[in-house]
Amino acid sequence: MKSFTYERARTPAEAAASVAKIPGAKFLAGGTNLLDLMKLEIETPTHLVDVQDIGLDTIEDTAEGGLRIGALVSNTALASDKRVRRDYGVLSRAIVAGASGQLRNKATTAGNLLQRTRCSYFYDTNMACNKRQPGSGCAAIQGFSRQLAVIGTSDSCIATYPGDMAIALRVLDATIGTVKPDGATRTIPMADFHRLPGDTPQIDNVLERGELITHVDLPRPIGGQHFYKKVRDRASYAFALVSVAAVIQPDGKMRAAFGGMAPKPWRVEAAEAGLHEDRAAAMETIFAGARPTEENAFKIPLAQRALASVVAQTRS
Amino acid sequence: MEFNAPADTNLFDTAKVVGKSTPRIDGPLKTTGTAPYAYERHDVVANQAYGYILGAAIAKGRITAMDVSQALAAPGVITVVTSPDTDVPGKSSMNNARLFGGSEVTHYHQAIACVVAETFEQARAAASLIRTQYDREKGRFDFPALAPDAPLARGRGDKPDQARLGDFDGAFAAAPVKLDATYTTPDESHAMMEPHATIAAWEGDRLTLWTSNQMVAWGKKSMGEALGIDPENIRLDSPYIGGGFGGKLFIRADVLVAALAARAAKRPVKIALQRPLIANNTTHRHATIQRIRIGADKEGKITAIAHENWSGNLNGEDGENGTYQTPILYAGANRLTSNYIATLDLPEGNAMRAPGEAPGHLALEVAMDELAEKLGLDPIELRIRNEPKTVPATPEKQFSDRNLVRCLREGADRFGWSQRKAEPGTVRDGQWLVGMGVAAGYRGAPTMKSGARIRLDGSGKVIVETDMTDIGTGSYTIIAQTAAETMGVPLDRVQVTLGDSRFPASSGSGGQWGAASSTAGVYAACVNLRRAIGEKLGFNGDEAVFADSQIRAGDRVIDLAEAGTMSADGEITFGKFKREYDVGTYAAHFAEVAVNAYTGEARIRRMLAVCDAGRILNPLSARSQVIGAMVMAAGAALMEELVVDKRFGLFVNHDLAGYEVPVHADITQQDVLFLDTLDSVISPMKAKGVGELGICGPGAAIANAIFNATGVRVREYPITLDKYFERLPVIA
Ligand SMILES: Cc1cc2nc3c(=O)[nH]c(=O)nc-3n(C[C@H](O)[C@H](O)[C@H](O)COP(=O)(O)OP(=O)(O)OC[C@H]3O[C@@H](n4cnc5c(N)ncnc54)[C@H](O)[C@@H]3O)c2cc1C
Ligand code: SF4
């Protein structure tokens, strides 16, 4: 770990200003991802701005009939909130399918969205990795890629976005609220938040320097049955090979977003209408243009089966 | 005490303490976090500095330059020890890989430097400032590609490791029912909780090593060899070990480098291997390829059996021999076992819990299941029909005690085997296909000479001192039980001190020999002490009765406290008569597994092990041993794999996020049953170890259950869903 300086911000504006001011500064929330990466010198911030005292730790009803989740709300608090469990079951299930109880107690809503990939080569500083060290190459494309992405990838990087919560947020059409160092705020739809790698896989998302996530908004509940199916090698405490967040209405119409498949939560709204009519054809559209490796090609049929398993569980 | 004939009736046959379920006497220390593990021994020596090991960034080649100037200038740094600039006079005869010294790199993450600093964080930060240049060489990293040309390994007496009996080829060709299948098992990591850790301190030319090591006497000898100093000047102390599983049988880089760094820093140095280093820096279980051919008559009697095994290692030595159990488990007049080994440039493969047998059962016991399927026979019945009278591959040898058929039958009753549907893929529970599997288990029960010292403190308290180790197995408790029984005192009047090389050398912990050997050594020392007490107080120590903290000799009754302060050493050695026997442990393993019909996720529902291992010294800790081993076997069957990057020659998933071992949610109900058997050939205790027996078979039972659930056979371990979900029967 490189040595760094540390401060505790008192307000969102102060936090954003501090990070903008100091080159190489980063926000620190629960620390469950950032500190691990710092110990391995995958992340080497010069300065940490701890945001745990800035508030933003409540879940409020919104005027539109949805919920506003503060950036610092813990994963445990979010998953166990009565309103979330009642109206946004897919979110609650996705969160508890991730990490462990201890980690979820510490992990925050914003931090969870920003967790970095779990590609093995990203984690080994002796290996080439464009995401960690731009221009060094990608050891994974010809190497161990079983966990990695099949779609949305580039010749520079095939890493997945590894998280669970974001897959549910995507299916719920959540939006992300931020404040910039100059005080300007903006709202980013989940669909636009994570980036595809292209030639710049080191940039995971559209946040600007010093831009702080303040909250995540959930629109009005959409009803239906909520599912989060996470397929993995062990029963708990493992990242998804493939996951499906699905909301299925009584008439069979559904929304579905997929995890473990791409550098971002993968959802193709245009194809969703077909999912309850000709699922195979719709899935083909959703994963059209996929470029899997030999090791991870299984993910496409697995995603199909994971969704089939979910559909089979719907109450008739 | 030489044990040179089968044990007669002795005090353990009427034991009051030995054989009773006894909570660990070291339990409170462990549950309160106060058991002193190597890295946390802050109080043993003052002024400890922190060492941090840097691993090589390449798998094969030479270091051409190393610039440590920035590291030396970093805050808190005391010194930097580099491999090219360190002359390590010798090499431990027990290590295959070179641990430190010189410019040659023979495997990824080999220790190439150690930064010593005032704090751990300073040492770690400085280590990343070292700039190293290498000359890379091409390495041999692709075991499956190299295996076909691998030569036979060298077995006993340097002879090729191949054994034949009768005419395998002829008998196999003639057999009406034949099975020919090849199985592969991957490289696996011990993944013990406590990383390898050592504190080293020099006092003149005397070296003390507080470390985490299963075999204290071996460690002392190895360090003497490596440093070129008299081993008598070395003290190892290893009282608590947070798991070893064979990974701590031999010294590793932490020990040697801590000693070298402490010499350079002129201060005690402590080092723990960081988790991402462990998979490639230390040892692992080698991958295997195993081909099994079995020929049988129509009734299921085996007429021909061949088990050929391939593995690979650094220097082409010491592979993973999956055939070990095959000469012993099943009858059959015509036999062949062969063990081939390729030379690889991957990290050193070495012993991991039941080396050989653990992967061997994953092949043989699935082959038996496949044969049963071909014969249309119940797999338990097939095994019973092939129960041998003497050791199949060496028919002149007797079994010391073997109750495999009882294990299978009693297990079948307990598990509800009769509920199993012979037709695979026919039991459904919602989205899940459910199946049951069985496997037999065999693991040899070796013994090693073992010594101890028993002291009386004058108050009637008994103190046991031996360099025996407790690797989480429960040695403290069974040793205390043995001393309590033999000296006739309650358990709480016994104090056990382990792991210090200043004490008499013991068997150590490995190869499931520790429990049987070390307790026999304690017994031998107790017998000597009883005799010495008799001499001192004027009675025959062998005939007197030691019970209730008193000695009854003829009509005299003497308080043990009256013996005053006394001490006796003793050692058990084992005579040649054992060679006429195969002394082994047996088990029947059962598993019920559910497989998601859509995704192929396999989830274990129940497991049962029925074990035949002679007297069970402490059923409570023995059960823990077996259930732990069953968990490890489940890992091997379903998820554990060190993934080899064949381009760069490393295990890529070198942390506990990437290398998945089972978690609680993977293991639901586990049940263990011990048969009430005694083996008088093993030792005066008539007790055999169980720690490795428990991993021999459960993985195959799981694999067989998956087949029974789905009708799909996967012969490449681990059985992950990507290998078979597309072949699952279509759900209606
Ligand atoms: C062993 C292990 C297993 C795990 N398993 C899973 C799993 O199965 N599924 C899963 O989804 N996750 C899993 N995780 C990841 C876990 O969910 C994340 O580590 C956690 O959610 C991160 O939250 P945090 O608050 O600790 O973030 P931090 O580590 O504090 O921060 C992460 C990043 O977010 C930035 N950041 C934090 N807050 C803000 C903000 N308000 N605005 C802008 N930037 C911000 C930080 O600068 C940093 O770059 C696992 C983690 C571990 C260690
Ligand atoms: S896939 Fe992406 S994260 Fe992985 S090595 Fe390649 S560039 Fe790095």
Side-chain angles (χ1 to χ4, degrees):
Chain A
M1 190 189 286
K2 294 267 184 253
S3 51
F4 58 90
T5 49
Y6 171 89
E7 80 177 269
R8 260 165 114 131
R10 278 161 307 176
T11 64
E14 187 186 306
S18 278
V19 166
K21 192 171 66 206
I22 302 170
K26 269 193 158 288
F27 300 113
L28 174 68
T32 60
N33 192 223
L34 183 56
L35 296 183
D36 282 5
L37 295 169
M38 286 169 64
K39 288 174 190 169
L40 296 165
E41 296 197 3
I42 295 160
E43 298 267 18
T44 51
T46 55
H47 181 73
L48 288 185
V49 178
D50 192 328
V51 293
Q52 64 177 306
D53 297 336
I54 64 171
L56 304 178
D57 55 357
T58 57
I59 305 172
E60 312 284 352
D61 295 329
T62 62
E64 295 75 35
L67 290 178
R68 172 159 294 190
I69 304 156
L72 273 295
V73 170
S74 77
N75 287 176
T76 300
L78 180 55
S80 56
D81 184 273
K82 274 207 190 93
R83 294 159 292 181
V84 173
R85 290 178 53 186
R86 186 188 59 217
D87 299 330
Y88 307 95
V90 63
L91 177 58
S92 188
R93 287 183 193 127
I95 292 170
V96 298
S100 67
Q102 293 93 328
L103 284 158
R104 295 193 300 267
N105 289 341
K106 202 73 191 128
T108 63
T109 305
N112 193 315
L113 283 170
L114 295 172
Q115 63 180 290
R116 307 212 67 193
T117 188
R118 294 279 163 174
C119 172
S120 300
Y121 299 96
F122 177 73
Y123 269 85
D124 187 335
T125 49
N126 293 325
M127 297 289 132
C129 171
N130 288 323
K131 194 184 260 311
R132 176 169 33 76
Q133 201 185 340
S136 62
C138 170
I141 290 175
Q142 309 273 329
F144 175 47
S145 58
R146 178 172 180 266
Q147 286 275 353
L148 302 185
V150 297
I151 193 162
T153 56
S154 72
D155 291 341
S156 303
C157 179
I158 58 168
T160 44
Y161 170 76
D164 294 299
M165 184 190 80
I167 315 302
L169 291 179
R170 177 75 179 88
V171 96
L172 291 170
D173 284 334
T175 57
I176 295 164
T178 70
V179 58
K180 296 190 193 182
D182 63 5
T185 60
R186 67 164 165 159
T187 301
I188 309 164
M190 263 307 288
D192 302 333
F193 183 74
H194 293 99
R195 284 181 75 254
L196 295 182
D199 293 338
T200 50
Q202 70 276 19
I203 308 169
D204 289 353
N205 55 61
V206 299
L207 290 181
E208 292 166 15
R209 251 190 72 72
E211 185 170 3
L212 177 84
I213 297 180
T214 51
H215 61 268
V216 172
D217 279 343
L218 296 177
R220 295 175 65 85
I222 55 166
Q225 286 187 65
H226 288 220
F227 297 92
Y228 190 74
K229 167 105 187 147
K230 182 174 180 184
V231 184
R232 44 186 159 174
D233 291 324
R234 66 180 169 191
S236 172
Y237 208 34
F239 290 92
L241 290 166
V242 166
S243 70
V244 186
V247 179
I248 306 182
Q249 300 299 340
D251 61 3
K253 291 211 175 89
M254 70 180 94
R255 295 181 182 186
F258 296 86
M261 305 296 284
K264 61 191 287 185
W266 199 254
R267 181 176 171 205
V268 180
E269 280 92 335
E272 268 175 6
L275 279 174
H276 78 290
E277 285 152 4
D278 182 350
R279 203 164 57 232
M283 286 296 277
E284 221 162 275
T285 312
I286 291 172
F287 292 106
R291 292 197 312 166
T293 66
E294 208 174 297
E295 284 187 5
N296 66 23
F298 73 92
K299 286 189 170 193
I300 295 170
L302 184 61
Q304 231 146 28
R305 280 173 168 250
L307 183 61
S309 145
V310 164
V311 171
Q313 287 171 57
T314 50
R315 282 176 255 118
S316 45
Chain B
M1 179 185 290
E2 193 182 27
F3 184 65
N4 48 24
D8 283 333
T9 303
N10 61 28
L11 79 160
F12 300 110
D13 295 321
T14 52
K16 296 197 207 64
V17 192
V18 165
K20 305 288 179 281
S21 271
T22 308
R24 286 164 199 250
I25 60 172
D26 51 330
L29 285 179
K30 295 205 168 151
T31 49
T32 55
T34 47
Y37 288 88
Y39 199 70
E40 288 127 38
R41 302 193 70 180
H42 313 296
D43 53 346
V44 288
V45 58
N47 208 22
Q48 299 173 13
Y50 290 80
Y52 190 88
I53 289 182
L54 179 69
I58 65 165
K60 190 166 172 61
R62 293 188 72 75
I63 298 170
T64 52
M66 242 176 148
D67 177 359
V68 299
S69 54
Q70 280 190 65
L72 275 172
V77 172
I78 299 160
T79 186
V80 179
V81 180
T82 68
S83 187
D85 287 334
T86 305
D87 181 25
V88 181
K91 181 174 172 239
S92 146
S93 55
M94 291 184 164
N95 288 99
N96 197 334
R98 201 177 171 87
L99 301 178
F100 200 71
S103 296
E104 194 186 352
V105 175
T106 62
H107 66 90
Y108 191 71
H109 275 173
Q110 178 180 321
I112 58 166
C114 175
V115 178
V116 182
E118 296 294 342
T119 71
F120 169 76
E121 288 75 13
Q122 289 169 332
R124 182 175 59 186
S128 74
L129 300 174
I130 297 174
R131 297 285 162 260
T132 309
Q133 278 160 33
Y134 303 94
D135 237 355
R136 279 175 197 262
E137 285 167 37
K138 268 220 161 96
R140 292 156 289 190
F141 305 135
D142 189 349
F143 164 60
L146 291 159
D149 299 322
L152 279 168
R154 283 165 298 158
R156 218 173 253 155
D158 229 17
K159 289 202 207 79
D161 198 351
Q162 185 166 57
R164 291 177 189 276
L165 185 72
D167 167 22
F168 169 77
D169 292 327
F172 184 69
V177 182
K178 291 191 189 70
L179 173 91
D180 181 349
T182 298
Y183 306 85
T184 63
T185 63
D187 296 288
E188 292 169 7
S189 182
H190 304 84
M192 73 293 277
M193 280 299 287
E194 183 203 24
H196 303 69
T198 300
I199 302 173
W202 292 88
E203 236 179 299
D205 58 359
R206 302 183 75 84
L207 172 65
T208 305
L209 297 159
W210 294 273
T211 188
S212 181
N213 190 289
Q214 299 174 228
M215 301 293 297
V216 166
W218 289 1
K220 178 169 144 175
K221 174 171 173 276
S222 294
M223 281 300 285
E225 289 168 344
L227 294 172
I229 64 175
D230 182 353
E232 288 319 306
N233 283 341
I234 300 174
R235 179 186 158 215
L236 247 79
D237 190 32
S238 184
Y240 293 97
I241 297 159
F245 307 121
K248 294 175 183 165
L249 283 171
F250 314 104
I251 59 159
R252 306 297 332 162
D254 59 307
V255 196
L256 180 59
V257 176
L260 295 166
R263 189 148 70 187
K266 303 189 174 59
R267 262 173 82 166
V269 169
K270 60 173 10 183
I271 293 178
L273 295 185
Q274 56 272 31
R275 182 66 66 182
L277 208 66
I278 289 180
N280 288 284
N281 177 274
T282 73
T283 59
H284 62 276
R285 191 198 293 289
H286 334 47
T288 70
I289 299 169
Q290 302 178 52
R291 180 183 185 198
I292 295 185
R293 284 172 288 168
I294 311 178
D297 68 18
K298 293 218 165 81
E299 278 66 55
K301 279 221 170 318
I302 294 172
T303 53
I305 181 164
H307 191 161
E308 294 161 282
N309 177 85
W310 288 261
S311 67
N313 204 0
L314 215 53
N315 304 335
E317 286 170 18
D318 305 320
E320 183 88 25
N321 185 352
T323 71
Y324 282 148
Q325 67 291 323
T326 306
I328 293 150
L329 265 177
Y330 304 113
N334 303 288
R335 320 180 65 97
L336 165 70
T337 49
S338 309
N339 179 30
Y340 299 88
I341 183 156
T343 302
L344 302 178
D345 295 305
L346 290 172
E348 176 179 346
N350 208 316
M352 176 166 145
R353 202 172 198 169
E357 284 105 332
H361 283 75
L362 287 171
L364 179 65
E365 288 304 289
V366 173
M368 288 297 282
D369 204 65
E370 299 203 45
L371 180 65
E373 183 203 340
K374 281 184 190 272
L375 287 157
L377 255 187
D378 182 275
I380 293 182
E381 181 57 28
L382 172 65
R383 288 175 171 91
I384 292 172
R385 286 189 191 176
N386 289 289
E387 174 70 7
K389 295 215 161 50
T390 64
V391 178
T394 43
E396 66 287 358
K397 249 191 180 180
Q398 303 295 313
F399 293 112
S400 64
D401 192 44
R402 170 174 168 133
N403 301 281
L404 176 60
V405 172
R406 254 187 83 192
C407 292
L408 288 162
R409 292 211 163 111
E410 292 184 25
D413 276 354
R414 175 100 160 205
F415 199 69
W417 184 254
S418 60
Q419 303 296 307
R420 173 181 175 268
K421 299 275 179 286
E423 172 87 14
T426 53
V427 180
R428 194 63 72 69
D429 176 6
Q431 295 201 349
W432 298 84
L433 301 161
V434 186
M436 289 190 207
V438 68
Y442 167 84
R443 168 72 172 109
T447 40
M448 306 261 279
K449 73 175 181 183
S450 195
R453 175 172 303 139
I454 315 294
R455 296 200 284 117
L456 292 179
D457 77 340
S459 75
K461 198 161 112 189
V462 175
I463 297 157
V464 185
E465 294 172 340
T466 158
D467 84 353
M468 180 59 188
T469 48
D470 187 323
I471 56 177
T473 42
S475 311
Y476 276 103
T477 311
I478 55 172
I479 284 171
Q481 287 172 283
T482 305
E485 194 75 54
T486 317
M487 298 310 299
V489 298
L491 196 67
D492 63 8
R493 301 297 287 158
V494 182
Q495 178 192 320
V496 181
T497 318
L498 298 183
D500 190 329
S501 65
R502 294 178 301 190
F503 299 149
S506 72
S507 63
S509 300
Q512 86 169 13
W513 62 61
S517 310
S518 70
T519 53
V522 169
Y523 169 65
C526 287
V527 167
N528 288 351
L529 182 62
R530 287 167 50 142
R531 286 178 189 154
I533 298 169
E535 265 168 43
K536 183 170 175 183
L537 300 180
F539 61 83
N540 180 333
D542 286 351
E543 284 168 12
V545 176
F546 286 67
D548 307 322
S549 293
Q550 291 180 325
I551 307 159
R552 284 190 288 282
D555 44 17
R556 288 170 69 190
V557 178
I558 311 162
D559 276 349
L560 189 61
E562 281 174 46
T565 346
M566 291 188 70
S567 167
D569 286 8
E571 184 178 61
I572 188 95
T573 56
F574 297 93
K576 290 195 179 111
F577 83 99
K578 281 198 176 198
R579 291 184 197 165
E580 292 160 31
Y581 300 93
D582 186 81
V583 189
T585 56
Y586 295 86
H589 291 284
F590 295 82
E592 183 177 296
V593 179
V595 177
N596 188 287
Y598 291 89
T599 60
E601 293 156 284
R603 302 289 179 247
I604 298 165
R605 293 193 166 180
R606 301 188 286 143
M607 296 174 84
L608 166 68
V610 183
C611 302
D612 166 31
R615 185 190 313 286
I616 300 302
L617 298 164
N618 181 357
L620 192 62
S621 55
R623 177 177 179 280
S624 298
Q625 280 293 291
V626 176
I627 64 175
M630 289 157 79
V631 171
M632 220 163 179
L638 297 179
M639 63 192 83
E640 292 185 41
E641 174 172 17
L642 284 169
V643 176
V644 181
D645 187 313
K646 293 171 187 163
R647 302 162 303 166
F648 304 124
L650 74 146
F651 300 128
V652 195
N653 52 338
H654 50 61
D655 60 30
L656 291 180
Y659 185 83
E660 291 185 8
V661 298
V663 294
H664 279 95
D666 292 298
I667 307 293
T668 50
Q669 191 192 318
Q670 287 181 305
D671 195 6
V672 182
L673 208 67
F674 294 108
L675 298 188
D676 55 345
T677 55
L678 295 174
D679 192 331
S680 53
V681 175
I682 177 105
S683 85
M685 314 297 296
K686 305 178 189 171
K688 297 179 275 197
V690 297
E692 300 199 341
L693 175 64
I695 197 175
C696 296
I702 290 165
N704 294 336
I706 290 176
F707 174 76
N708 182 244
T710 63
V712 181
R713 222 23 116 175
V714 179
R715 299 186 184 85
E716 300 84 37
Y717 293 96
I719 307 177
T720 48
L721 56 91
D722 47 320
K723 293 175 183 157
Y724 73 111
F725 74 92
E726 289 179 275
R727 287 186 275 153
L728 291 177
V730 181
I731 286 267

